[in-house]
Amino acid sequence: MNSSEKITEIFAAVFQDLNDERPEEQQLDFDPGTPLVGSRSSLDSIEMVTLLVNLETSLSESFGRPIRLSDEKAMSETRSPFKNVATLVAFATKVVETSTDD
């Protein structure tokens, strides 16, 4: 399993945990195009922060080193890495593949 596949699997589990907290009629699809931020997103700001923190925690545990997705690198990207599921998986993969123990 390559990094992207592993990250997608981890993200799917974190996403499911978020859905477990939501009413059935407000469940989110774990789809590449599912919006995470912006007017089309069904996530409120607390849910987005929770999703990011839980994803960082799960990635850090899985890869055995600190993984930070919500840092100055993310904020300086021309296109938001938080736009949708696909952009966040791609960004997380890039971070994991270029990160070192801090």
Side-chain angles (χ1 to χ4, degrees), residues 13-14 19 33 49 59 68 85:
V14 169
N19 267 336
V49 169
L59 290 171
R68 300 288 170 248
V85 169

Side-chain angles (χ1 to χ4, degrees), residues 17-67:
D17 289 344
L18 177 68
N19 267 336
D20 290 345
E21 301 296 319
R22 296 171 66 96
E24 188 172 330
E25 66 276 1
Q26 293 180 6
Q27 297 289 296
L28 302 169
D29 292 326
F30 185 74
D31 233 30
T34 298
L36 300 176
V37 295
S39 61
R40 294 185 27 213
S41 175
S42 297
L43 296 174
D44 63 29
S45 57
I46 298 296
E47 289 174 317
M48 184 60 191
V49 169
T50 300
L51 182 73
L52 282 173
V53 168
N54 292 345
L55 184 57
E56 286 178 340
T57 300
S58 294
L59 290 171
S60 295
E61 289 171 358
S62 181
F63 289 95
R65 62 184 182 277
I67 304 295

Side-chain angles (χ1 to χ4, degrees), residues 36 69 73-75 77 79-89 91:
L36 300 176
L69 301 175
K73 280 190 275 185
M75 300 310 154
E77 294 282 316
R79 294 178 187 222
S80 174
F82 310 119
K83 180 180 177 182
N84 58 39
V85 169
T87 59
L88 186 52
V89 167
F91 180 71

